[in-house]
Amino acid sequence: MRGQAPSRRWTAVAAVAMTGALAMSGCGGNDSKGSNDTSEVEVFSWWTGPGEADGLAAMKADFEKKNPGTKFTNAAIAGGSGTQAQAVLASRLQNRKPPDSFQGHAGAELLDYIKAGQIEPLDSFYDDNNLKAAYPEQLLQQITYQGKIYSVPVNIHRSNMLWYNPGILKDAGISAPPKSIAEFITGLKAVKEKTKKVPLSLGAQWTADHLLESVLLGDLGTDAYNALWKPGADWGSPAVGKALADFAEIMKYTTLEAASTDWQGAAKAVVDGKAAFNIMGDWAYGYFTGSAPNGLAKKVDTDFGYAPSPGTDGTYMWLSDSFTLPKGAPHRGGALAWLKEASSKEGQDLFNPKKGSIPARKDADKTLYKGYLEYAFNEWNRPGVKLAGSFWHGVNASKKQHTDIDTAVGLFLQNKDVGKLQASLVSAAKNSGQ
């Protein structure tokens, strides 16, 4: 991201209303024939599994009740956590055959679509539906690009969560989950020395990238972490070097054989009593408790516990599924009606309890969110909470920088060279194209 003018970056300023040229009847200057057609809406996503598909079906039913003259076409594509869907979407957009609305992670992941002129800004839509008052100001700041907003967040997941096995911590003499990176390293060492368990379970390589963002946040603090994604950020600083050294130290307490499995296997090691700690997003809760597909029916406080990842208490490292308005949408009126559903209090409260996430809106019905989701809801809406975007899950890093970071981490897993890792991250930022 380095070496680019501030105007080409995700900016930390509130979105501003667009001019009349971006009014509801012609946002983005789209004058394609039938653009305001409300007869149909084709919604493109990768929500096909239990939970997420159920949530989408609930929103669909509410949409059809509110829009009886609009046919809803579910264009969801299964497989690869969205990878296959995104490949199909890219082909459709290149051939100028967009769906009416498509799913994407809110934030920098959408930059390629924005720069290619494939999606419209939604500021007038936000103004017409009073959404700038409904969403947290910090969230709006982090999804704003060049003063404009391009997506409608429908949910929030939290990336920076520590899952632990209470029994193993007790055996290691650890009285409470670690609250700092230094305490975490001490705890990992205690588990290794006093038990025969794995201190920290790790899965496929991307789970190391996921771990890295929590270590950076825990060591640098929220403001310095967020500053890494702004113009002039210094990835070569001693503070970043210290965080990377801590990451390298933490990695010594993982197991190489764990890399043959994905996040589910790494998380399962905790509730099965094989590993003390795992850092993973809050979708792990549904997997543990049985509310997710093939859930494990485990009990909180008995089989597992949870806390913010070390050093990050008070900060919500977020990621969000959102929907867009493609330029040239064949049923633009239907698309706007769908975006209204996805952004509504009713729509988000129907979707999120089934998905295992919380609403992005501030005014959702708290009584619908139980167990961990109640905790997450309270944390998201807590006065004074700080927000940090998950770079691995699309908020801060462009697709190019995302790939370059992953490559750098992959090489580090082989050579264990912190200096080379930092140099590669400096290069990744400089060549990000943002």
Side-chain angles (χ1 to χ4, degrees):
M1 291 187 183
R2 304 299 80 77
Q4 300 294 333
S7 63
R8 295 188 60 79
R9 304 298 311 282
W10 288 93
T11 57
V13 296
V16 297
M18 301 303 293
T19 62
L22 297 179
M24 185 71 92
S25 62
C27 181
N30 180 6
D31 58 358
S32 60
K33 184 177 181 180
S35 64
N36 291 312
D37 186 356
T38 61
S39 64
E40 184 179 352
V41 61
E42 182 192 14
V43 176
F44 187 98
S45 76
W46 52 84
W47 287 336
T48 60
E52 59 191 15
D54 295 336
L56 178 59
M59 275 203 296
K60 171 180 177 288
D62 191 53
F63 173 85
E64 290 174 336
K65 180 180 178 180
K66 295 174 181 175
N67 303 274
T70 303
K71 176 185 176 182
F72 184 99
T73 299
N74 182 358
I77 293 179
S81 300
T83 302
Q84 294 182 33
Q86 291 177 20
V88 173
L89 176 64
S91 177
R92 290 187 59 174
L93 293 177
Q94 289 169 4
N95 288 291
R96 298 186 180 181
K97 295 181 180 180
D100 295 309
S101 184
F102 65 83
Q103 175 189 358
H105 289 123
E109 184 177 295
L110 301 179
L111 277 175
D112 287 354
Y113 304 123
I114 295 170
K115 293 180 178 181
Q118 294 171 329
I119 58 177
E120 296 187 21
L122 293 168
D123 296 79
S124 60
F125 175 81
Y126 270 71
D127 290 338
D128 290 346
N129 292 282
N130 198 31
L131 293 182
K132 292 175 184 175
Y135 288 108
E137 174 62 22
Q138 289 186 81
L139 177 62
L140 295 178
Q141 291 174 0
Q142 293 193 14
I143 64 172
T144 296
Y145 178 66
Q146 294 188 350
K148 302 174 185 178
I149 302 175
Y150 289 84
S151 67
V152 171
V154 68
N155 71 343
I156 296 292
H157 275 297
R158 190 176 190 178
S159 167
N160 60 316
M161 290 301 300
L162 176 73
W163 310 94
Y164 61 90
N165 184 290
I168 296 177
L169 265 60
K170 182 179 179 180
D171 291 344
I174 302 172
S175 60
K179 294 185 178 181
S180 68
I181 295 295
E183 286 185 12
F184 188 38
I185 294 173
T186 298
L188 294 171
K189 183 178 181 180
V191 171
K192 182 177 181 179
E193 292 178 349
K194 298 179 181 180
T195 76
K196 295 182 179 180
K197 309 298 184 180
V198 174
L200 177 66
S201 59
L202 200 67
Q205 182 182 311
W206 77 265
T207 66
D209 296 280
H210 184 106
L211 172 64
L212 174 61
E213 68 180 18
S214 278
V215 174
L216 286 170
L217 177 63
D219 258 340
L220 297 175
T222 312
D223 294 341
Y225 171 86
N226 285 334
L228 287 177
W229 314 98
K230 296 179 181 179
D234 184 7
W235 280 82
S237 71
V240 172
K242 170 62 166 58
L244 296 179
D246 283 343
F247 172 69
E249 182 66 19
I250 289 168
M251 288 295 298
K252 294 177 182 178
Y253 296 94
T254 63
T255 54
L256 292 177
E257 57 267 28
S260 63
T261 187
D262 206 351
W263 73 267
Q264 293 96 332
K268 188 173 184 293
V270 170
V271 296
D272 284 351
K274 297 178 179 179
F277 298 106
N278 176 244
I279 291 180
M280 184 45 57
D282 58 8
W283 45 88
Y285 181 82
Y287 177 56
F288 290 153
T289 60
S291 58
N294 303 313
L296 303 175
K298 299 295 184 178
K299 295 182 179 179
V300 68
D301 296 329
T302 300
D303 298 310
F304 70 97
Y306 59 82
S309 60
T312 72
D313 190 18
T315 299
Y316 212 104
M317 181 176 273
W318 68 276
L319 54 140
S320 172
D321 293 301
S322 67
F323 284 93
T324 63
L325 178 61
K327 288 188 177 180
H331 309 95
R332 189 171 182 278
L336 289 170
W338 167 249
L339 291 178
K340 187 171 183 179
E341 173 68 25
S343 64
S344 70
K345 176 180 180 296
E346 297 83 4
Q348 295 195 12
D349 277 340
L350 285 168
F351 174 77
N352 284 293
K354 296 181 183 297
K355 172 67 165 64
S357 49
I358 62 170
R361 292 181 63 107
K362 297 184 293 185
D363 57 355
D365 184 354
K366 179 180 177 179
T367 64
L368 299 174
Y369 300 89
K370 308 296 184 181
Y372 168 80
L373 291 182
E374 180 180 7
Y375 165 80
F377 187 101
N378 290 337
E379 288 287 291
W380 177 251
N381 292 285
R382 183 173 62 165
V385 67
K386 294 184 177 182
L387 301 188
S390 164
F391 79 72
W392 184 251
H393 298 284
V395 178
N396 295 329
S398 68
K399 290 183 178 180
K400 176 172 174 46
Q401 188 177 18
H402 183 278
T403 298
D404 289 347
I405 290 174
D406 186 46
T407 299
V409 171
L411 291 173
F412 169 77
L413 295 179
Q414 298 175 40
N415 60 38
K416 314 298 184 186
D417 191 319
V418 174
K420 288 183 178 179
L421 173 60
Q422 185 165 16
S424 294
L425 295 179
V426 169
S427 178
K430 181 179 179 180
N431 298 319
S432 67
Q434 296 187 45

